[in-house]
Amino acid sequence: MERLCGPELPFWVANQTLHTDRPDLPECFQLSVLSWLPCIYLWAVCPIYLFYLKRNNRGYIMMSIKNRFKTVFGLLLWIVCWTDLFYTFHELRQGHSQPPIYFITPLVLGITMLLATFLIQLERLRGVQSSGVLFIFWFLCVLCAIVPFRSKILQASSQSEVTDKLRFTTFYFYFSLVVLELILCCFNEKPPLFSSVVTDPNPCPETTAGFLSSMTFWWFTSMAIKGYKMPLEVKDLWSLNQRDCSKKMVPKLLKEWEKEQAKAKRYVCKRGEGGESNLEEVEVLLSNQRSVPQQPSFLRALIKAFGPYFLIGSAFKLLQDIITFVNPQLLRMLISFTKQTGVPDWWGYTLAFLMFFTAFLQTLVLHRHFHYCFVTGMNVRTALIGAIYRKALVITNAAKRSSTVGEVVNLMSVDAQRFMDLTTFLNMLWSAPLQIMLALYFLWQNLGPSVLAGVAVMIMLIPFNAVIAMKTRAYQVEQMQYKDTRIKLMNEILNGIKVLKLYAWENSFKDKVLAIRQKELDVLRKSAYLGALSTMAWTSAPFLVALTTFAVYVTVDENNVLDAEKAFVSLSLFNILRFPLNMLPQVISSIVQTSISLKRIQGFLSHDEYVEKPLGSLLAVVGHVGCGKSSLISALLGEMEKVEGDISVRGSVAYVPQQAWIQNATLRDNILFENPYNEQKYHSVLEACALTFDLEVLPGGDMTEIGEKGINLSGGQRQRVSLARALYSDADVYLLDDPLSAVDAHVSKHIFENLIGPEGLLKGKTRILVTHGISFLPQVDNIMVMVEGQVSEMGSYQELLKQNGAFAEFLRNYALEDIIEEEENPKSRSVRRHGCSQRKHSEPQEKKKPHEMEKLIQAETAETGRVKTKVYLEYVKAVGPLLSVVICFLYGCQSAAAIGSNIWLSQWTNDVSTNQTKENVPMRVGVYAALGIVQGVLLLVNCLLCRAYSMLRAAEFTHRNLLQGVLRAPQAFFESTPTGRLLNRFSKDLDAIDSHIPDNIDIWMRTFWYTLNVLLICSALTPMFLIVIAPLMVFYWWVQRFYVATSRQLKRLESVSRSPIYSHFSETITGCSVIRAYGRHTAFVLMSDMKVDENQKSYYPGIVSNRWLGVRIEFIGNCIVLFAALFAVAGKENLNPGLVGLSVSYALQVTMSLNWMVRMTSDLESNIVAVERVKEYSETKTEAPWEVEDKKPPPEWPIKGNVEFQNYSVRYREGLDLVLKNLTLNVRGGEKIGIVGRTGAGKSSMTLCLFRLLEAAAGEITIDEVRIAEIGLHDLRSKLTIIPQEPVLFSGTLRMNLDPFDKYTDEDVWKALEHSHLHRFVSNQTAKLELQCSEGGENLSVGQRQLVCLARALLRKTRILILDEATAAIDLETDDLIQSTIRTQFEDCTVFTIAHRLNTIMDYTRVLVLDKGQIAEFDTPANLLSQRGIFYSMAKDAGLTQ
């Protein structure tokens, strides 16, 4: 230094700086270190920053006044610095030679100022609105210039005049310009031209926030205030930042994943090329190769896509780790300061402020790091959901079978969530070992080798924790499996709820769910035991370590004295150790868990995809049930697994599946299916599909909202909507899978003539029609007959008749009379079939105006405002009130023991001053140990009580009530509540009650008592502290109120916006063949992306709110540290070092617990909402009781089967019109009644009334003298049998589907199968009765499913049988079999048939014709035909009479 500054200017003078009450720094130090520090910083950062600016161009900003000023000031600074330089040269020529430092410093400063000015302009051109780099630079400049500022004034005041006038002046110029630059740097520039901020209606202020605002998250304040004033709504949320949107994130990940897949393929090809010497060798090679295929690594794709952004967060973490260790060193200096006498006071105050500043800096850096991590986590989730959704649209059927809808939805919800949770703590993987090493290093310095004793304890705890973590993991996987099965079962129950009710099977399924739940709870209980152990281990760890270390330290060597400095610095280091030691096993176990998720997701994304194959005459395909007709259509769509050969389909495709797939949207949207609306075309489509009449009766016309899976349309309407969608799409090839089966004869005739047939709208297009109807066959161009999966013959109608083969045989057996050409009839559209159309309608004359329509599915409401105390009380009630009090009390005791041990430690350290160290050692160590052990034991007892016993009891209790509530809900409830929403209660909300709420309560209790104790101790030691505590607590309370109100509402909005992602997803999976056939892939992907972005829109402010809170709360904590230190310095005379150490080391800890306390308050409020949401559904309005004890009918009732309606009326819901009006009829036992009528006449309603799915509005029904309204629902429903319109099967064995209560013997079951013509099919299966039906019975054809329903009916064999158009999806042959089965097997039963093909009821005892909910005609078929009324005209339409 001397070479630079010369001999007159020394670099460091101790007396001038440290040991004086007016310290000052030497001039050489000022000119070198203080001047160069900002320059070194700027030049070091510059290359990285320039690279960053080159990569990120946001468009340029117009030159503003502010920018001009900044630039001008920059140039002035350069001029000022170089004025100094030229002045030095001037002096040199005058003969005053100055030391080299006077040349170097102005030169360096000047060039740096030019660089800064250049950066100001470059940032403007690159669209940077506020620069952190320059802000830090100007801040450093000002900071370093404060010292010369003061010392120059001190010098001037001590001398009579200023010696070096020019340099004096230029310095103050320099100082004022730098301050101005710093001030200007705090303000923002306008956004760049053409940026999205300008066009966005509600942009996120983050994009335009300044550097200071970003660091302190000040930009979020506006939302916090808004959320406090009134509950936030969706419209208050900011738009998602461009960089976080699905359209940016998903392609980013998919690009990397495709690269990985390509790499893996190349690898496989390479492996296959070697060694082609002889065949055997190749065989061996191939088999080897099969065993070790190179898997594409999804992990690598993730790292490449999101690694770089995440690394910025890691850099912040590194910085934070280093700063963490500054405070214990400062504490050591502070304690030693209180011990010394006669040292200047400013030392103490400087230390206090330094502690404050390092703590504050640490806060800012830590929250930056968290912000980066959380945003990465959020992006990973967005990308994963997007990738899984896109994949689900293109996986093959085989792949689809390997994972059920529930499992795939789980990939989206649970597994993607795991990745998100892991990214937030992933950095701990390297940061924890680093912190541990640093802490040990400083401890060694402090206590020497005794530390090894403590380390040994830690090392012993690690395997203990690791074993616990591994076991917990295993339990978690097990619990996940149970949860999966439970949700899958719930999903099926909710989808088939109507069938469960009709068959009175709720109890059987309830027991199944509860059995799974019990296993789940057992696993949870085991993990709670482990959790209690591990909590005890890690809470006691720092204490055990401290105890062993201190005990060893004082006993090893008699000269070792435990004084305050050693004890409390060590304690604060042990406290730092606590976090990484606790986190490390958690992170590792979380990584293990996420790796399972990674495997699942990678497996799913590696499934086979369809190879898209590019695709007019009318071809009809006919054949028996299960002969492969639908499979042929699937093959044409490319949905089957190809064994050999190939298919080509030219042009675009429209597909009408056998079971119509309807979206939860308006009727019009279902038909348009993302195509543009063209009124004329639209109306001709409606006319052709015979939908015009239906629109008149639907409450909102074509704007009626259709429930999930088309629940409020009848089967026929659904099928016609599906047809209309196909017709509107205007494709080249039409694949129609039996679309005419679900509609009445005359409607199918209308559709055939206007749509499919030779004169229909589709003439000239290629049409493949699977059909069971014979009457249309003469009009088709070609007929293909299928037998057992093969084409037996093909040709036109006439040709096949001539061939006299299988087809001719087929026709001979079936009603040739069907084919007699019927003459045209103007009234051919008089009748329309009606299934169970749920929104019943008044007469069509008073056409309802569309705007009156009510929304069927009410939007899910987010609760607003504070969580009501009632909800907490509900939870306390579930836990047990007395237990709750005991638990709270135990937490207090445990905390008191912890504090006690530290107070004891401070007493122990004071033995030094009284020289009693030696004699007291055993007593001191003993009491210290006892207090610690008490703390551990209390904690263990508490955890076991809290987690393993009471909270699980609450979990069991709430689930049982929820399940009971949902199963007891009336049918109408399920029509207006989407399955997704109910499943959300059973999965996410129950999960919160199972595991999150207990965690929250546990941590909240611990931090609450801890904070309370710290404040008590600080106030007891320095009563002055109370003065500060009051305003700090007010500020704390105020921040917390703002935060909790906003955060709670954001969490609610987030969970409400989450369900649509999953319900849209499961809807898509169900309809993916339709979506694919129409090529609507992109539209659906966009829809899903929009829903995910909508969800992230409320999640993102949620993360930021945590950062916002953290910075503010930790600021309060830092203030507590500052005041504890200041008061310690001020009261140095009457405080002993032990107490100073105690109060300051506690204050250093309090920040963390204050922060956790607010976070937990908010988390608890957000999660306790789950209790509220579950409670809402546990208390739904229930249907009538299942069993009424004093009104039980006799066990053999009904003996005769007489059914009587007396003035019976019914409506669907309160406030809707009557569907049936004053029905009075008497049916004698054993009669066969056919029920006919047009759509909306109330045919299905009548059958629902018998089962009391609809309750009477007036009048009553009696069966064998028993009024059905008086008996329990199960007693009633178990005595009636229905073969419903849509066959519903549950996943499980075939036997379970037939007889869930195991009431019947195997013999009975086989007999039923024989009568229902399934005997051959089932006995050919290897599993026989144990044949596994997949979800929804997907592995049986629709016809076979219908026969299974018939078998159910045969098993129950009740006196009254109801058929609801059960013959829809069946070919004529099977239909005949069923009819004959019913005639023979149910000969003496009362049968009601909602007829659909009139020829099936022509031999019935009587026919009931309903019209507008009233009886129009009721007599024998022969009489009705001779009366020539409605029935006659229908029969004529169907060609059954001339």
Side-chain angles (χ1 to χ4, degrees):
M1 266 323 204
E2 203 162 293
R3 200 185 294 161
L4 277 177
C5 297
E8 293 97 67
L9 298 174
F11 181 66
W12 185 256
V13 185
N15 282 340
Q16 192 189 334
T17 46
L18 292 179
H19 308 297
T20 166
D21 285 339
R22 281 182 63 187
D24 193 11
L25 289 168
E27 195 170 353
C28 177
F29 188 85
Q30 292 178 17
L31 280 172
S32 55
V33 177
L34 292 185
S35 302
W36 297 351
L37 197 69
C39 305
I40 292 168
Y41 156 78
L42 193 61
W43 286 98
V45 174
C46 190
I48 307 167
Y49 191 48
L50 287 175
F51 175 71
Y52 166 79
L53 284 177
K54 184 166 174 276
R55 291 287 296 273
N56 292 23
N57 189 356
R58 301 199 185 109
Y60 70 100
I61 299 175
M62 296 291 284
M63 181 75 117
S64 64
I65 310 271
K66 216 172 350 185
N67 199 279
R68 287 183 187 141
F69 269 120
K70 280 189 204 170
T71 315
V72 171
F73 288 156
L75 293 171
L76 281 175
L77 276 166
W78 167 64
I79 294 169
V80 168
C81 294
W82 279 22
T83 311
D84 270 7
L85 180 64
F86 291 130
Y87 181 62
T88 313
F89 278 118
H90 171 70
E91 282 183 322
L92 191 62
R93 292 178 60 191
Q94 300 286 322
H96 291 294
S97 85
Q98 293 282 18
I101 192 91
Y102 282 98
F103 293 97
I104 296 172
T105 299
L107 179 71
V108 173
L109 268 178
I111 295 175
T112 310
M113 291 306 162
L114 276 180
L115 175 65
T117 316
F118 163 70
L119 284 177
I120 290 172
Q121 283 309 312
L122 183 67
E123 286 176 344
R124 180 180 71 80
L125 295 173
R126 293 278 168 190
V128 178
Q129 288 175 265
S130 165
S131 158
V133 171
L134 284 180
F135 178 84
I136 295 173
F137 171 70
W138 296 124
F139 181 70
L140 283 175
C141 286
V142 173
L143 202 63
C144 293
I146 287 175
V147 177
F149 182 89
R150 177 172 166 271
S151 68
K152 279 192 168 31
I153 293 178
L154 284 178
Q155 275 174 0
S157 59
S158 63
Q159 300 157 347
S160 51
E161 62 164 340
V162 179
T163 44
D164 195 342
K165 286 201 178 60
L166 183 87
R167 287 204 178 86
F168 190 80
T169 322
T170 53
F171 173 75
Y172 284 104
F173 257 120
Y174 167 84
F175 186 77
S176 43
L177 285 170
V178 172
V179 172
L180 283 171
E181 282 279 23
L182 179 65
I183 293 167
L184 282 176
C185 216
C186 295
F187 296 103
N188 272 6
E189 289 291 342
K190 289 201 290 288
L193 290 178
F194 316 118
S195 75
S196 58
V197 179
V198 189
T199 51
D200 197 334
N202 194 3
C204 177
E206 183 189 13
T207 41
T208 55
F211 172 71
L212 280 177
S213 171
S214 300
M215 285 309 279
T216 55
F217 296 94
W218 184 258
W219 54 270
F220 180 78
T221 311
S222 62
M223 185 172 278
I225 292 172
K226 191 184 256 177
Y228 176 68
K229 283 188 186 151
M230 54 176 201
L232 290 173
E233 292 171 41
V234 180
K235 62 172 194 300
D236 302 323
L237 299 175
W238 299 312
S239 310
L240 202 57
N241 290 334
Q242 280 302 307
R243 59 146 206 263
D244 299 327
C245 287
S246 293
K247 67 165 183 282
K248 275 269 197 316
M249 282 302 137
V250 187
K252 194 166 155 185
L253 177 65
L254 288 178
K255 199 173 87 193
E256 296 299 341
W257 172 233
E258 277 151 20
K259 283 188 202 160
E260 283 299 317
Q261 281 176 307
K263 231 171 23 191
K265 279 200 190 98
R266 283 203 299 276
Y267 176 80
V268 171
C269 297
K270 276 197 202 107
R271 288 287 306 268
E273 282 161 14
E276 297 174 359
S277 49
N278 60 21
L279 279 176
E280 282 163 25
E281 212 173 298
V282 175
E283 294 272 294
V284 174
L285 267 172
L286 282 174
S287 60
N288 286 350
Q289 186 194 320
R290 252 178 239 125
S291 57
V292 280
Q294 160 89 356
Q295 282 285 328
S297 156
F298 186 60
L299 181 64
R300 208 173 301 136
L302 275 174
I303 292 171
K304 282 184 184 161
F306 303 106
Y309 186 79
F310 184 70
L311 280 176
I312 306 176
S314 308
F316 278 114
K317 181 70 180 145
L318 183 65
L319 190 58
Q320 192 252 337
D321 284 353
I322 295 162
I323 302 174
T324 309
F325 288 97
V326 177
N327 263 338
Q329 302 311 314
L330 293 174
L331 175 65
R332 195 180 70 220
M333 290 152 96
L334 186 69
I335 293 176
S336 72
F337 164 78
T338 48
K339 280 197 259 180
Q340 294 167 345
T341 44
V343 283
D345 272 358
W346 64 267
W347 281 20
Y349 293 120
T350 311
L351 283 171
F353 277 104
L354 272 176
M355 282 179 111
F356 174 73
F357 278 124
T358 47
F360 188 58
L361 186 63
Q362 188 186 341
T363 297
L364 293 183
V365 170
L366 178 68
H367 288 290
R368 266 288 84 169
H369 152 248
F370 273 142
H371 188 62
Y372 274 103
C373 292
F374 273 99
V375 171
T376 312
M378 172 175 117
N379 291 344
V380 167
R381 175 170 177 251
T382 302
L384 283 178
I385 291 183
I388 292 168
Y389 186 85
R390 285 159 173 73
K391 184 74 184 186
L393 278 177
V394 295
I395 61 172
T396 56
N397 271 355
K400 207 159 128 192
R401 274 198 294 277
S402 69
S403 38
T404 60
V405 179
E407 280 169 24
V408 184
V409 173
N410 250 347
L411 283 181
M412 244 191 202
S413 51
V414 182
D415 296 322
Q417 192 68 34
R418 280 199 188 148
F419 274 94
M420 190 151 112
D421 298 340
L422 176 66
T423 40
T424 47
F425 294 119
L426 191 56
N427 278 318
M428 287 309 290
L429 200 57
W430 57 264
S431 154
L434 175 74
Q435 286 184 357
I436 292 171
M437 277 150 61
L438 282 172
L440 291 180
Y441 168 74
F442 287 120
L443 279 168
W444 183 282
Q445 280 195 330
N446 212 3
L447 298 174
S450 328
V451 173
L452 292 175
V455 176
V457 173
M458 268 178 209
I459 290 172
M460 277 155 58
L461 281 173
I462 286 175
F464 177 71
N465 269 337
V467 168
I468 286 183
M470 293 300 284
K471 288 295 280 181
T472 312
R473 254 322 136 254
Y475 285 146
Q476 247 164 351
V477 173
E478 196 180 344
Q479 188 215 336
M480 276 298 301
Q481 284 163 345
Y482 288 135
K483 190 171 139 192
D484 273 1
T485 359
R486 180 170 58 89
I487 298 302
K488 188 177 147 191
L489 182 59
M490 275 317 300
N491 187 20
E492 293 194 51
I493 289 179
L494 294 174
N495 285 337
I497 188 79
K498 190 168 173 188
V499 170
L500 287 189
K501 288 191 178 306
L502 291 172
Y503 287 130
W505 279 358
E506 293 102 331
N507 277 330
S508 155
F509 279 84
K510 181 174 140 192
D511 294 340
K512 282 172 87 170
V513 176
L514 287 176
I516 301 173
R517 175 69 176 165
Q518 195 47 55
K519 288 182 190 160
E520 195 182 352
L521 286 172
D522 290 342
V523 175
L524 274 171
R525 181 164 291 119
K526 286 184 209 159
S527 12
Y529 290 144
L530 288 179
L533 277 178
S534 84
T535 306
M536 182 181 87
W538 84 258
T539 313
S540 314
F543 170 78
L544 284 175
V545 173
L547 173 68
T548 43
T549 309
F550 293 156
V552 169
Y553 181 70
V554 291
T555 46
V556 167
D557 184 347
E558 297 202 338
N559 304 331
N560 281 354
V561 170
L562 192 65
D563 59 1
E565 196 180 316
K566 289 206 169 66
F568 286 103
V569 173
S570 305
L571 261 192
S572 69
L573 285 166
F574 285 137
N575 276 331
I576 289 177
L577 263 181
R578 177 193 207 144
F579 185 64
L581 278 179
N582 158 42
M583 281 309 294
L584 202 53
Q586 276 191 31
V587 171
I588 291 169
S589 60
S590 179
I591 287 177
V592 174
Q593 200 177 8
T594 312
S595 68
I596 297 171
S597 295
L598 181 75
K599 276 203 201 85
R600 282 168 61 156
I601 291 179
Q602 181 167 320
F604 182 75
L605 291 179
S606 309
H607 277 325
D608 296 340
E609 298 186 10
Y610 287 114
V611 185
E612 284 294 321
K613 288 227 174 80
L615 262 298
S617 67
L618 169 56
L619 166 69
V621 182
V622 295
H624 302 309
V625 168
C627 71
K629 301 183 297 288
S630 299
S631 305
L632 175 75
I633 298 271
S634 296
L636 286 172
L637 286 170
E639 304 262 323
M640 300 295 269
E641 285 165 78
K642 187 175 76 172
V643 185
E644 56 184 343
D646 49 29
I647 299 174
S648 66
V649 179
R650 273 188 298 284
S652 58
V653 177
Y655 167 53
V656 179
Q658 193 167 2
Q659 286 185 305
W661 175 71
I662 305 287
Q663 279 178 279
N664 178 359
T666 64
L667 187 80
R668 177 182 292 183
D669 289 343
N670 264 301
I671 294 177
L672 298 184
F673 206 46
E674 312 285 327
N675 282 318
Y677 176 67
N678 165 345
E679 189 158 358
Q680 190 189 349
K681 175 174 164 191
Y682 181 68
H683 284 299
S684 68
V685 166
L686 292 181
E687 181 53 42
C689 295
L691 275 167
T692 336
F693 173 79
D694 299 87
L695 293 188
E696 289 167 11
V697 274
L698 284 173
D702 64 350
M703 286 322 214
T704 309
E705 189 207 4
I706 310 298
E708 269 191 72
K709 304 194 190 62
I711 194 156
N712 48 337
L713 293 178
S714 65
Q717 287 169 323
R718 255 176 273 180
Q719 199 52 281
R720 297 204 299 277
V721 168
S722 187
L723 268 168
R725 173 195 299 157
L727 178 56
Y728 194 87
S729 76
D730 204 15
D732 305 324
V733 177
Y734 284 80
L735 304 174
L736 312 171
D737 192 352
D738 203 5
L740 299 178
S741 62
V743 294
D744 294 342
H746 58 277
V747 179
S748 64
K749 182 176 160 193
H750 169 95
I751 291 177
F752 189 82
E753 282 167 7
N754 290 303
L755 184 67
I756 306 172
E759 297 305 310
L761 285 175
L762 292 181
K763 60 174 182 237
K765 309 259 184 173
T766 306
R767 292 146 308 189
I768 296 182
L769 170 70
V770 169
T771 181
H772 292 137
I774 298 180
S775 49
F776 307 122
L777 294 180
Q779 302 177 37
V780 305
D781 304 320
N782 272 308
I783 299 174
M784 175 162 121
V785 183
M786 291 193 73
V787 178
E788 308 209 337
Q790 293 181 334
V791 178
S792 77
E793 38 188 349
M794 188 164 168
S796 72
Y797 184 74
Q798 299 303 334
E799 287 167 13
L800 290 180
L801 274 183
K802 281 187 196 128
Q803 282 178 18
N804 212 350
F807 180 69
E809 183 66 23
F810 179 74
L811 283 184
R812 256 184 236 111
N813 297 348
Y814 287 98
L816 276 166
E817 71 271 11
D818 252 21
I819 306 171
I820 303 162
E821 287 298 309
E822 320 103 16
E823 73 271 24
E824 275 310 310
N825 180 332
K827 277 167 59 187
S828 78
R829 288 194 47 224
S830 60
V831 198
R832 179 69 40 75
R833 148 199 192 283
H834 163 65
C836 67
S837 170
Q838 254 67 25
R839 306 272 136 317
K840 278 315 180 300
H841 347 283
S842 56
E843 277 74 359
Q845 294 88 282
E846 4 162 338
K847 264 176 73 174
K848 293 211 183 150
K849 300 179 187 50
H851 65 79
E852 285 176 12
M853 121 191 216
E854 60 176 298
K855 217 150 146 43
L856 165 68
I857 290 194
Q858 299 303 330
E860 183 167 6
T861 46
E863 289 290 329
T864 51
R866 296 208 54 157
V867 177
K868 313 197 181 43
T869 330
K870 199 170 89 231
V871 180
Y872 288 105
L873 290 177
E874 272 297 313
Y875 190 69
V876 167
K877 203 167 79 192
V879 171
L882 186 67
L883 258 178
S884 307
V885 177
V886 171
I887 288 173
C888 290
F889 174 69
L890 281 177
Y891 273 112
C893 295
Q894 173 229 327
S895 190
I899 298 284
S901 64
N902 281 344
I903 292 180
W904 183 260
L905 183 64
S906 90
Q907 296 301 317
W908 178 2
T909 59
N910 289 336
D911 287 353
V912 182
S913 46
T914 54
N915 283 330
Q916 295 174 319
T917 45
K918 297 199 180 53
E919 46 275 30
N920 286 349
V921 165
M923 187 253 310
R924 291 288 186 201
V925 173
V927 174
Y928 189 55
L931 282 165
I933 289 165
V934 166
Q935 177 197 349
V937 169
L938 278 171
L939 189 71
L940 184 65
V941 170
N942 220 346
C943 275
L944 289 176
L945 243 187
C946 183
R947 289 293 193 59
Y949 179 67
S950 50
M951 307 262 171
L952 276 187
R953 217 180 82 185
E956 185 179 15
F957 180 74
T958 42
H959 174 260
R960 194 177 284 265
N961 285 353
L962 172 65
L963 184 63
Q964 183 70 5
V966 168
L967 288 180
R968 290 290 313 274
Q971 183 61 28
F973 168 79
F974 296 98
E975 281 152 25
S976 55
T977 314
T979 334
R981 196 179 300 168
L982 283 170
L983 281 181
N984 217 347
R985 296 291 169 278
F986 278 100
S987 55
K988 183 153 174 307
D989 293 330
L990 270 181
D991 204 33
I993 295 173
D994 288 348
S995 44
H996 300 317
I997 295 181
D999 278 354
N1000 294 153
I1001 291 179
D1002 182 38
I1003 299 177
W1004 191 87
M1005 286 301 235
R1006 294 214 299 258
T1007 48
F1008 169 74
W1009 287 105
Y1010 186 84
T1011 316
L1012 193 68
N1013 290 335
V1014 172
L1015 297 180
L1016 285 176
I1017 281 193
C1018 289
S1019 312
L1021 297 177
T1022 46
M1024 286 276 289
F1025 201 74
L1026 285 169
I1027 305 169
V1028 184
I1029 279 188
L1032 281 180
M1033 285 300 106
V1034 169
F1035 180 60
Y1036 175 77
W1037 181 77
W1038 183 77
V1039 166
Q1040 165 217 277
R1041 284 289 298 280
F1042 271 97
Y1043 167 76
V1044 171
T1046 308
S1047 151
R1048 178 183 58 221
Q1049 203 54 25
L1050 284 171
K1051 285 221 175 89
R1052 282 173 176 166
L1053 288 175
E1054 197 266 336
S1055 63
V1056 168
S1057 65
R1058 182 180 292 174
S1059 333
I1061 300 180
Y1062 307 141
S1063 45
H1064 175 236
F1065 182 55
S1066 46
E1067 186 174 84
T1068 309
I1069 292 188
T1070 346
C1072 63
S1073 49
V1074 178
I1075 297 171
R1076 268 200 298 267
Y1078 285 97
R1080 282 286 167 278
H1081 192 264
T1082 14
F1084 275 79
V1085 165
L1086 278 176
M1087 248 150 73
S1088 167
D1089 281 357
M1090 216 169 69
K1091 289 183 160 61
V1092 174
D1093 287 349
E1094 208 44 44
N1095 176 240
Q1096 299 293 34
K1097 220 166 85 171
S1098 48
Y1099 174 74
Y1100 183 66
I1103 334 176
V1104 178
S1105 69
N1106 284 340
R1107 306 283 73 82
W1108 179 87
L1109 168 85
V1111 172
R1112 279 147 194 71
I1113 294 289
E1114 288 183 27
F1115 181 74
I1116 297 175
N1118 299 339
C1119 288
I1120 292 179
V1121 172
L1122 174 67
F1123 289 115
L1126 284 179
F1127 292 142
V1129 174
K1132 164 180 165 194
E1133 307 310 317
N1134 35 12
L1135 272 183
N1136 57 37
L1139 294 175
V1140 172
L1142 182 67
S1143 78
V1144 179
S1145 66
Y1146 255 133
L1148 281 172
Q1149 278 293 292
V1150 81
T1151 322
M1152 196 72 167
S1153 56
L1154 278 177
N1155 197 347
W1156 272 106
M1157 201 165 99
V1158 180
R1159 291 278 291 284
M1160 284 304 132
T1161 307
S1162 162
D1163 275 4
L1164 188 58
E1165 286 216 346
S1166 317
N1167 284 327
I1168 207 93
V1169 174
V1171 177
E1172 179 175 29
R1173 288 164 52 137
V1174 167
K1175 186 168 170 284
E1176 173 195 352
Y1177 283 136
S1178 325
E1179 294 169 355
T1180 40
K1181 195 167 133 280
T1182 56
E1183 48 185 4
W1186 282 344
E1187 288 176 359
V1188 181
E1189 283 308 321
D1190 49 347
K1191 294 270 189 199
K1192 264 191 170 326
E1196 62 283 353
W1197 172 89
I1199 299 177
K1200 304 194 194 74
N1202 295 343
V1203 180
E1204 196 175 341
F1205 284 76
Q1206 280 162 335
N1207 294 331
Y1208 190 82
S1209 308
V1210 75
R1211 57 167 56 94
Y1212 265 89
R1213 279 208 311 262
E1214 287 301 313
L1216 293 179
D1217 301 320
L1218 291 175
V1219 198
L1220 295 176
K1221 301 170 206 147
N1222 300 329
L1223 286 198
T1224 303
L1225 68 140
N1226 196 342
V1227 175
R1228 288 178 300 284
E1231 276 198 289
K1232 309 284 178 284
I1233 304 288
I1235 304 176
V1236 294
R1238 55 195 268 178
T1239 300
K1243 304 191 293 283
S1244 293
S1245 315
M1246 196 169 149
T1247 56
L1248 295 180
C1249 298
L1250 281 171
F1251 285 92
R1252 282 175 64 198
L1253 279 187
L1254 295 178
E1255 295 285 3
E1260 60 184 9
I1261 301 178
T1262 50
I1263 297 178
D1264 281 5
E1265 283 73 55
V1266 174
R1267 291 183 183 164
I1268 65 168
E1270 293 175 354
I1271 60 177
L1273 291 181
H1274 278 184
D1275 291 335
L1276 167 68
R1277 291 172 184 169
S1278 58
K1279 301 293 184 171
L1280 307 175
T1281 301
I1282 186 166
I1283 301 181
Q1285 200 172 6
E1286 291 191 7
V1288 176
L1289 299 190
F1290 300 96
S1291 63
T1293 61
L1294 182 64
R1295 185 183 163 110
M1296 192 267 336
N1297 268 297
L1298 294 170
D1299 170 27
F1301 288 102
D1302 277 337
K1303 276 192 199 157
Y1304 305 98
T1305 61
D1306 277 6
E1307 211 174 312
D1308 295 339
V1309 178
W1310 277 113
K1311 207 151 125 206
L1313 286 175
E1314 198 168 332
H1315 289 311
S1316 60
H1317 313 283
L1318 275 171
H1319 189 279
R1320 198 167 121 221
F1321 168 72
V1322 179
S1323 48
N1324 285 343
Q1325 303 289 333
T1326 42
K1328 303 280 192 285
L1329 288 179
E1330 298 303 307
L1331 168 71
Q1332 281 295 328
C1333 301
S1334 59
E1335 210 172 340
E1338 294 287 329
N1339 52 354
L1340 301 178
S1341 76
V1342 182
Q1344 284 166 333
R1345 277 178 247 169
Q1346 196 74 62
L1347 292 175
V1348 172
C1349 291
L1350 174 66
R1352 273 181 199 159
L1354 288 165
L1355 257 185
R1356 286 166 74 110
K1357 199 72 194 292
T1358 53
R1359 299 290 308 182
I1360 298 174
L1361 171 74
I1362 292 132
L1363 276 111
D1364 188 354
E1365 300 185 312
T1367 51
I1370 301 184
D1371 58 275
L1372 293 175
E1373 197 169 345
T1374 320
D1375 191 11
D1376 255 21
L1377 293 174
I1378 291 186
Q1379 290 299 335
S1380 65
T1381 304
I1382 288 170
R1383 287 191 185 94
T1384 55
Q1385 297 297 318
F1386 293 96
E1387 199 174 357
D1388 45 359
C1389 302
T1390 313
V1391 179
F1392 290 90
T1393 304
I1394 293 188
H1396 163 74
R1397 298 177 175 159
L1398 291 187
N1399 56 352
T1400 55
I1401 56 162
M1402 280 315 212
D1403 58 349
Y1404 273 30
T1405 343
R1406 288 192 281 174
V1407 173
L1408 168 69
V1409 183
L1410 285 175
D1411 188 40
K1412 294 178 189 155
Q1414 289 163 323
I1415 299 179
E1417 306 173 355
F1418 185 35
D1419 209 335
T1420 61
N1423 290 353
L1424 290 178
L1425 285 176
S1426 58
Q1427 285 171 17
R1428 302 209 156 222
I1430 302 182
F1431 183 70
Y1432 170 73
S1433 63
M1434 290 170 77
K1436 194 169 174 188
D1437 278 345
L1440 294 175
T1441 175
Q1442 277 330 120

